[in-house]
Amino acid sequence: MNKDLLRMDNLSKDEILDILNLADQLKYEKKHGIEHPLLKGKSLGMIFEKSSTRTRVSFEVGMYELGGNPLFLSSKDLQIGRGEPIQDTARVLSRYLDGIMIRTFSQKGIEILAEASSIPIINGLTDDEHPCQILADLMTIREKKLILDGLKVAYIGDGNNMCNSLIVGCLTLGMHISIANPQGYKPPKYYIDKGNELALKNNVSFTMTNLPKDAVKDADVVITDVWASMGQESEAQKRMIAFKGYQVNKELMSLAKDDALVLHCLPAHREEEITEEILEAHADEIFEEAENRLHAQKAILVKLLSK
């Protein structure tokens, strides 16, 4: 693996599968009360410029269960919040810590942080990418379906960080993916081009449409996300209009395979992007997906921090 995990295309197919295999092992050990202090004596700094439930708790508990020390670092409490250059913060923290997880806005900022750091940097979420979530999603799909290769994933909603990382992750593993976004809410050109490149390389399909019904047809997995992500609250009303017809509901799911999974990275806005009925019918896999953030991230930590 690279020194850092900044985006999904940092990982090859084999590296993704190695992470998933280790995550499965760590989950099994946790369920059976087998301790695994693989990072004893290691410290992880966790920088949060965006608030979080799942990211903070899963990384903090995960580091603790691996025998290490997690440190919550709010940007309000760091000099970075008072104008210290990110390069200087990186060089200082590199002398104290063994790794940094950061949840922030700018992908460029996290890449500057990684370039200046001598320790691993993990992307806990940026506006462009959400690799930790996608690894947990892939882990969940494999648990439930037993395979990944050849499955069809449909993503319905905003062309956001989830959509971007999902395109790269699925196509890298030989899965077909169909994306349905409203006009004006497509993924950035980089991810469309990358998707086309990976689809050709791995002989799988990558399709984009404005019609959710076309995307969902015969899907093995249907994934959605909120219509207005953190930092987009001022656009909520505009987005409610643009995303009308993009709700994952009973009618839409009738077009997917009978045993299709539904995943949502949470928090969910019930009766907006997903109905209460569908969320509760698929609560088992959705909350397993949330739990798997813990196991997938522990695997990432071991792979990066134990070097």
Side-chain angles (χ1 to χ4, degrees):
M1 283 182 67
N2 293 335
K3 175 178 78 74
D4 312 298
L5 176 55
L6 306 182
R7 43 198 314 141
M8 276 306 296
D9 59 12
N10 288 160
L11 300 172
S12 67
K13 178 177 181 177
D14 286 344
E15 287 169 337
I16 293 174
L17 293 175
D18 280 348
I19 290 170
L20 299 186
N21 291 340
L22 179 55
D24 286 344
Q25 178 187 331
L26 295 172
K27 183 174 184 176
Y28 174 87
E29 291 177 359
K30 178 178 170 64
K31 298 288 186 188
H32 290 81
I34 302 169
E35 294 186 0
H36 37 239
L38 301 172
L39 297 180
K40 185 177 181 181
K42 302 280 188 177
S43 294
L44 176 73
M46 306 186 303
I47 300 174
F48 284 87
E49 294 186 317
K50 281 188 174 184
S51 58
S52 167
T53 298
R54 280 151 290 277
T55 300
R56 178 175 178 180
V57 176
S58 57
F59 266 107
E60 196 158 330
V61 171
M63 195 63 185
Y64 173 79
E65 290 181 351
L66 291 167
N69 182 36
L71 290 87
F72 173 74
L73 304 171
S74 166
S75 60
K76 296 175 183 177
D77 300 325
L78 296 173
Q79 294 297 336
I80 197 172
R82 300 185 181 92
E84 181 176 51
I86 195 166
Q87 297 95 324
D88 292 355
T89 297
R91 285 181 282 191
V92 169
L93 293 181
S94 291
R95 293 169 183 255
Y96 300 149
L97 302 168
D98 298 288
I100 295 171
M101 186 285 300
I102 181 167
R103 182 177 169 93
T104 186
F105 295 89
S106 166
Q107 183 71 26
K108 179 65 175 174
I110 199 174
E111 289 171 1
I112 293 171
L113 179 71
E115 189 175 336
S117 297
S118 59
I119 57 175
I121 306 299
I122 299 169
N123 181 349
L125 175 142
T126 64
D127 288 345
D128 288 5
E129 292 259 358
H130 202 352
C132 293
Q133 179 66 57
I134 299 311
L135 288 165
D137 290 3
L138 294 169
M139 179 182 178
T140 309
I141 295 167
R142 191 170 73 163
E143 278 183 336
K144 302 294 184 183
K145 294 292 188 182
L146 304 180
I147 61 166
L148 292 170
D149 192 59
L151 293 180
K152 178 184 176 181
V153 173
Y155 174 85
I156 311 299
D158 190 19
N160 60 10
N161 48 15
M162 275 291 298
C163 183
N164 299 339
S165 293
L166 197 62
I167 289 169
V168 176
C170 289
L171 293 171
T172 298
L173 290 182
M175 304 166 77
H176 308 282
I177 188 164
S178 185
I179 307 290
N181 318 111
Q183 201 61 41
Y185 296 92
K186 304 289 182 189
K189 183 178 184 296
Y190 173 86
Y191 293 97
I192 297 173
D193 290 346
K194 188 71 178 178
N196 287 324
E197 174 193 324
L198 286 169
L200 185 63
K201 176 184 175 183
N202 296 320
N203 194 30
V204 288
S205 63
F206 169 48
T207 59
M208 299 188 63
T209 178
N210 295 333
L211 302 173
K213 290 182 178 181
D214 288 352
V216 167
K217 184 172 174 52
D218 296 326
D220 296 286
V221 187
V222 177
I223 302 179
T224 189
D225 192 9
V226 294
W227 293 341
S229 298
M230 199 177 301
Q232 298 172 333
E233 289 82 1
S234 63
E235 302 175 26
Q237 284 304 113
K238 176 185 172 186
R239 285 170 171 265
M240 285 285 283
I241 296 168
F243 285 86
K244 187 178 180 182
Y246 284 77
Q247 184 185 75
V248 176
N249 53 32
K250 187 175 181 179
E251 179 187 1
L252 194 64
M253 288 303 301
S254 70
L255 301 171
K257 289 184 179 174
D258 292 342
D259 61 349
L261 303 178
V262 175
L263 298 180
H264 193 306
C265 62
L266 303 177
H269 295 169
R270 298 169 189 235
E271 303 306 328
E272 288 185 17
E273 75 276 1
I274 188 168
T275 61
E276 176 98 15
E277 177 186 22
I278 293 297
L279 190 146
E280 290 300 333
H282 294 270
D284 175 58
E285 57 248 35
I286 290 171
F287 289 97
E288 194 78 18
E289 171 193 14
E291 179 189 331
N292 284 341
R293 287 289 301 276
L294 171 66
H295 310 300
Q297 287 162 188
K298 284 167 73 174
I300 295 164
L301 289 167
V302 171
K303 289 288 185 183
L304 293 181
L305 271 62
S306 63
K307 289 183 178 180

